[in-house]
Amino acid sequence: MSFKSRTGKIFSALTLTLSLLGAPIAQADTTLRIGNQGEPASLDPHFLSGDWENRIAGDLFMGLTTEDPEGNAIPGAAESWTVSDDGLVYTFKIRDHKWSDGQPVTAQDFEYAMRRILLPETAAEYASLLYIIKNGEELNTGKAKPEDLGVHALDDKTLEITLKGPAPFLISMLTHYTAFPVPKHIVEKYGKDWTKKEHIATNGPYKLVEWLPNTHVKVTKNELFWDAANVKIDNVIFYPQEDAAALIKRMRAGEIDCIYKFPSGQIDWLRQNMPEETKIAPYLGTYYYPINTKRAPFTDKRIRQALSMAIDREIIMDKVLKTGELPAYSMVPPGTSNYKEPSYVTWKSMPMADRITKAKELMKEAGYGDDKHLKVQLRYNTDDNHKRIAIAVAQMWKKIGVETELFNSEVKVHYAELKQGNFEVARAGWVADYNDPQNFLFLLESTSKSLNYGNYDNPDYDKLMEEAYLESDLKKRAQIMGKAEAIAMEDAPIIPIYYYVSKNLVSTKIKGWKDAINDTHRTRWLSIEN
Amino acid sequence: MLNYFIRRVLASIPTLLIVITIAFFMMRIAPGGPWDKERSLPPEIEANIMKAYDMDKPLVEQYFIYLGKILVGDFGPSYKFRDFSVTDLLMGGFPASLQIGGMAIFLAVIFGTLFGAMAALRKNSAADYSVMTMAMTGIAIPNFVMAPVLTLIFGVYLSWLPVAGWGDGSFQYKVLPVLALALPQIAYIARLTRGSMIEVLHSNYIRTARAKGLRERLVLLRHALKGAMLPVVSYLGPATAAVITGSVVIETIFDIPGIGRYFIQGALNRDYPLVMGTVIFYGVLIIVLNLIVDMLYGLLDPKVRLHD
């Protein structure tokens, strides 16, 4: 064998060895697999209404502002903005970036999107979130033309939004999917088919690859995303599995990396077997019982107060739920932005025994006692936890001489009855769309129609809320809303039970997951370490 | 035969119309509407949506609008899944349901008749008791218990098969759902076959066949089994329709992109067009399968003849 041929063979062998060694070095695509607990109704941001849809839409699209790893609003499609002195006019500078088909994202796309969602014929469920924009409600109810809307593209990169009142929550609200842009050039070309995978263009960190209803939605990294260099996960698959027990099994088998909303009933097992994966964090939501203030005898404030006082929230947290929820004594959860400490009920610190005594006195004053029991129907929608809480509450009310009839119905029937005022006391919950006390307190305004289930109507409360809408000084605004909340807590049109927590299971190989008060964890901030 | 076929098809039209009418009005009588949910919609938004879906019109007018649309094959948009029409959803989901259901029914027929015949031939033996015990267990254990147990054993503990999902539609993803769907059917068919086989084995024509000196294998296969299949065949019509239109439990647990879930999702969401679409689909399938069963009956039983 000649030297030449021998070196040739050695060289070939070395090349082969290096290439074999090199094979594992070349990074395989990373894929995040999410147990999403619901099939998206749509991928069109204007037709969404749930957090499981927000998770997908937020990976595909990016609003003027977006969420950081902790869920706080940061610049998104807009790189900066200015606010007029009266807090009514916001001028956004659109970041230089592109749709996934290569077309530039312009201010016109935002103008088009906001007009579109508010057009009555679009029939968007969540359009009312943008009523804060000048002529938003008027456009949605057919009383104004699209060009009257307070959203104008001043040029390709400048968008001006005019509000009907100062709204310091606007920046946080713009992270919501109702304010996402849609690609005007695609929507106009394909109409309702624009979200099909062969047409859709997105401006977020990911783009659509596949959507197989009831099986999965797969998205892949959008190389044209403005910050693509820092997006570490290549693909995300969202599984719409509703059966949480099946999801947990899939996670144990290594088929899924993260599950949103595990069932509370599993908490003991999870704490024992998957402690590192179990993530529980405060969540911007309140679980409460509205009381029908228009139905006798619940028109009597004393009865409403007594019913609220008699509920031992700590027992519900410790013995029924056991997942770290916090007992609620206000409508607004603590930690809400643009607010102070919530205005709690005045008896928050009173020992339970004293509360029962006081509640009995109130009932007596209202004409109820041992000889005359108050009968209450407590409605709840089908869910194991709602049932367990209702049973516990019924037992607690017994102590003040209240006989409770529990009434269960499926969710549609439950809310249809609430909307029509066909209830006495009922279960409800509210999770904020944006981080601001107004998003909780507006529920109790007399003008909130179908969302003010108990038909609470106090002109003083309404007046203070109106005042708060016109106040641009954040400190003063917080004080005014605090006064309003104090009035509502004294009137007790609702019984706050607990503040929600987010309950997720996250594989230890996922890095970058942080507690977020709105439970929003955008994939662009995460990475996977095997 | 052809006339009989045409007559049956024509006769099914009023049946279908009655089904559609009852389903349409019953859905609307049910309390709660498509947009009643945890977050109630402001009245003006609900009004916009009602208008967009013609739901602001009188109910009878809506009914005739719907009938007019289905006559031209338009089953309408889904209220819940707004990016899809009902036809998109049903046509997209049916292949998966058909595959899973078809395989399950195939397994059920093969193993059910085999076990049933075996038990009948060894009546009151240990084999008979074992098959019947297994059959009773198979019938008694519901799908929602069977499926998680299968996933726990074969998916979580042994890691032989995926716990759930459809993947690329490959075989391994179908094994557990097919098994979970087939096991109760195997059990039921085995019990049915055993019962009718025992009855047939005591009948005169079998005695005659044996008396004529026909070989036992031929007696069993050509005469006894053929006769014993009659109740199985009549059971197979509705059972096949039920299985291949998808099992909501199986599809939910295994995350299968079939149409089974649309029955329940549609009803729970008050997604009227989706419910109507699935009802019509199911109705047509039942009618077609019953027709096939009647034809098979004619072939299997000389006493039953399909007259023109």
Side-chain angles (χ1 to χ4, degrees), chain B residues 98-116 150 171 174-190 193 229 232 235-236 240 243-244:
Chain B
L98 183 66
Q99 283 179 55
I100 299 289
M103 283 158 82
I105 268 301
F106 180 73
L107 282 185
V109 173
I110 300 287
F111 288 101
T113 44
L114 198 71
F115 290 145
L150 287 174
F171 181 70
K174 294 171 193 161
V175 177
L176 290 182
V178 167
L179 264 183
L181 208 52
L183 287 174
Q185 299 295 341
I186 292 175
Y188 200 83
I189 291 177
T193 310
M229 285 303 281
V232 176
Y235 167 73
L236 275 180
T240 309
V243 169
I244 66 175

Side-chain angles (χ1 to χ4, degrees), chain B residues 275-296:
Chain B
V275 173
M276 292 305 297
T278 48
V279 164
I280 294 169
F281 191 82
Y282 191 73
V284 169
L285 210 63
I286 285 266
I287 288 168
V288 170
L289 286 165
N290 277 338
L291 195 57
I292 294 172
V293 164
D294 286 351
M295 304 263 179
L296 277 177

Side-chain angles (χ1 to χ4, degrees), chain A residues 23 52 66 127 131 264 379 399 408 417 440 513:
Chain A
W52 66 97
T66 186
Y131 282 4
S264 298
R379 294 191 76 118
K399 290 183 188 164
N408 169 233
E417 296 294 343
F440 289 92
W513 182 285

Side-chain angles (χ1 to χ4, degrees), chain B residues 27 262-263 265-267 270-280:
Chain B
M27 275 302 292
Y262 295 137
F263 283 96
Q265 281 174 342
R270 306 289 191 275
D271 190 342
Y272 304 140
L274 186 57
V275 173
M276 292 305 297
T278 48
V279 164
I280 294 169

Side-chain angles (χ1 to χ4, degrees), chain A residues 42 126 241 255 410 419 431, chain B residues 36 39 83 163 252 257 270:
Chain A
S42 172
Y126 245 56
Q241 177 67 273
E255 291 175 15
E410 58 132 339
K419 204 166 69 178
V431 173
Chain B
D36 287 321
R39 283 168 175 255
D83 288 9
V163 174
T252 305
R270 306 289 191 275

Side-chain angles (χ1 to χ4, degrees), chain A residues 23-66:
Chain A
I25 294 167
Q27 285 291 311
D29 272 8
T30 49
T31 301
L32 176 68
R33 299 155 305 172
I34 297 175
N36 202 25
Q37 291 209 313
E39 178 67 21
S42 172
L43 294 183
D44 185 329
H46 295 168
F47 296 138
L48 311 183
S49 59
D51 50 3
W52 66 97
E53 292 156 340
N54 176 31
R55 278 172 214 133
I56 306 173
D59 273 357
L60 293 174
F61 299 95
M62 174 167 286
L64 292 164
T65 57
T66 186

